[in-house]
């Protein structure tokens, strides 16, 4: 399965004055049959934020804009200040229900992704 | 030149029961702060707290503590302090809250501020004295502060404990 990855220009992203950032991510699990619903995914991300950044992190206001259960690709919207917290907790989330998993970040931008 | 810089927070521990406050020790305060930082800021906060945080001074009678934080993250750790509701010391749970009254760059500046603060507190206590003996003690202590700064801390601490009993 090929997926497009757009390497973000992080310097330009930091200087961009738009108040929101969009993260397109894909969850890879050991057993590919397992797929998460939107609610389960949201809970999973909040638990990761809580473990790395505590109550303040768990209170971060992020939105799940689009979620495709078949391919496990999700688009998240987060305020500019919360991007580092969210991205770092996604990186460090290692297991979902006793199976190993990884979040692959496909695209980061300050405009909503088209597809 | 390159120097390790830190921030010292001068905090006052306000407890509901002043007798329990005497049980306070630095390990209890360290554990309480690390616990609340872990809860509020997660693993990231706990890691910031693990190296560079310590309790430098503790006065169980007046409830004054000096907390040392690294300069680069003191504001983050400071933001977790209001969430402390109790401190567990020697098996007893002291219900209290922390009030930060000064932030200094060195222990010496904090100490200078504390001396002025204690003298100010004495002057505030003077109109509230209940009997003549207390009034004389407080007046003597205020006179001592004005004349010499060397023995100020011991006499004030002794007086404040008398006031509270």
């Amino acid at each position: 399965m090929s997926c497009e990855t757009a390497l973000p220009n992080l310097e330009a992203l930091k200087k961009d004055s738009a108040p929101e950032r969009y993260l397109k991510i894909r969850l890879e699990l050991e057993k590919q049959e397992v797929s998460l619903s939107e609610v389960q995914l949201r809970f999973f991300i909040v638990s990761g934020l809580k473990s790395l950044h505590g109550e303040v992190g768990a209170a971060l206001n992020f939105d799940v804009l689009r979620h495709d259960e078949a391919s496990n690709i999700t688009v998240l919207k987060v305020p500019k200040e919360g991007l580092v917290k969210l991205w770092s907790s996604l990186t460090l989330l290692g297991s979902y229900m006793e199976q190993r998993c990884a979040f692959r970040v496909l695209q980061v931008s300050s405009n909503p992704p088209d597809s | 030149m390159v120097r390790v810089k830190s921030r010292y927070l001068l905090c006052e521990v306000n407890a509901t029961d002043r007798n329990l406050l005497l049980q306070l020790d630095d390990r209890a305060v360290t554990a309480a702060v690390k616990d609340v930082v872990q809860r509020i800021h997660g693993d990231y906060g706990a890691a910031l707290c693990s190296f560079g945080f310590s309790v430098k001074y503790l006065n169980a009678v007046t409830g004054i503590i000096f907390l040392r934080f690294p300069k680069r993250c003191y504001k983050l750790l400071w933001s977790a302090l209001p969430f402390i509701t109790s401190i567990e010391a020697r098996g007893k749970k002291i219900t209290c809250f922390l009030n930060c009254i000064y932030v200094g760059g060195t222990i010496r500046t904090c100490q200078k501020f504390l001396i002025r603060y204690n003298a100010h507190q004495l002057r505030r206590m003077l109109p509230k004295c209940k009997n003549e003996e207390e009034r004389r003690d407080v007046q003597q202590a205020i006179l001592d502060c004005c004349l010499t700064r060397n023995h100020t801390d011991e006499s004030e601490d002794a007086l404040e404990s008398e006031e509270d009993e």
Side-chain angles (χ1 to χ4, degrees):
Chain A
M1 177 168 78
S2 69
C3 47
E4 78 280 349
T5 48
L7 273 174
N9 184 351
L10 285 168
E11 284 305 316
L13 208 63
K14 254 196 265 182
K15 292 193 188 127
D16 199 329
S17 60
E20 272 142 14
R21 296 284 180 266
Y22 297 84
L23 262 173
K24 188 171 180 183
I25 56 177
R26 192 183 79 227
L27 175 60
E28 275 181 12
L29 290 157
E30 252 185 320
K31 298 194 192 75
Q32 289 298 324
E33 314 87 62
V34 177
S35 73
L36 277 77
S37 71
E38 199 174 311
V39 173
Q40 285 173 318
L41 181 78
R42 207 197 150 86
F43 181 72
F44 184 42
I45 296 179
V46 170
S47 74
L49 273 168
K50 187 162 184 169
S51 92
L52 185 60
H53 288 291
E55 301 281 347
V56 166
L60 183 62
N61 245 343
F62 70 97
D63 296 314
V64 176
L65 293 183
R66 283 198 287 279
H67 177 63
D68 182 8
E69 282 195 39
S71 57
N72 265 339
I73 292 187
T74 317
V75 176
L76 302 173
K77 181 172 87 159
V78 71
K80 184 165 68 150
E81 308 79 34
L83 179 67
V84 173
K85 285 200 168 103
L86 182 65
W87 198 342
S88 56
S89 31
L90 289 176
T91 309
L92 291 175
L93 269 173
S95 64
Y96 175 71
M97 308 262 229
E98 287 132 28
Q99 31 163 337
R100 295 195 305 177
C101 71
F103 273 101
R104 306 286 182 215
V105 174
L106 305 174
Q107 194 181 349
V108 185
S109 62
S110 48
N111 310 307
D114 309 314
S115 61
Chain B
M1 209 42 242
V2 177
R3 191 180 99 161
V4 175
K5 294 193 176 173
S6 49
R7 289 286 178 257
Y8 293 88
L9 258 67
L10 207 179
C11 297
E12 191 186 354
V13 180
N14 286 62
T16 43
D17 188 356
R18 294 219 54 131
N19 298 331
L20 277 184
L21 192 62
L22 293 166
Q23 308 281 339
L24 212 62
D25 67 338
D26 56 348
R27 263 179 304 168
V29 174
T30 312
V33 172
K34 283 194 176 166
D35 194 48
V36 84
V37 167
Q38 163 74 45
R39 187 162 49 100
I40 300 297
H41 292 296
D43 289 340
Y44 178 64
L48 287 174
C49 226
S50 66
F51 179 74
F53 162 64
S54 55
V55 175
K56 283 294 183 188
Y57 168 83
L58 176 89
N59 189 329
V61 173
T62 54
I64 299 280
I65 50 178
F66 284 8
L67 300 171
R68 179 194 182 274
F69 293 121
K71 182 177 153 184
R72 65 184 193 286
C73 59
Y74 80 99
K75 282 189 185 164
L76 190 79
L77 302 173
W78 188 1
S79 68
L81 294 183
F83 293 91
I84 295 180
T85 53
S86 66
I87 300 181
E88 180 90 35
R90 297 182 207 170
K92 298 213 179 77
K93 197 164 146 178
I94 310 170
T95 320
C96 60
F97 68 91
L98 255 65
N99 201 14
C100 176
I101 45 185
Y102 186 73
V103 179
T106 57
I107 293 192
R108 188 178 293 179
T109 54
C110 289
Q111 199 176 24
K112 282 193 210 165
F113 174 82
L114 188 60
I115 292 172
R116 288 200 317 266
Y117 181 76
N118 283 344
H120 182 70
Q121 292 292 82
L122 273 180
R123 287 193 193 95
R124 278 184 61 211
M125 273 191 328
L126 191 58
K128 294 183 199 159
C129 287
K130 292 184 197 84
N131 54 33
E132 195 50 44
E133 190 190 311
E134 277 181 13
R135 183 175 283 274
R136 263 187 283 118
D137 287 336
V138 174
Q139 277 175 335
Q140 183 61 40
I142 295 178
L143 215 61
D144 287 338
C145 313
C146 300
L147 290 172
T148 156
R149 293 215 175 271
N150 287 344
H151 303 290
T152 308
D153 279 351
E154 292 105 271
S155 58
E156 276 159 20
D157 294 350
L159 264 152
E160 278 184 299
S161 65
E162 270 172 49
E163 287 293 306
D164 297 328
E165 285 158 20

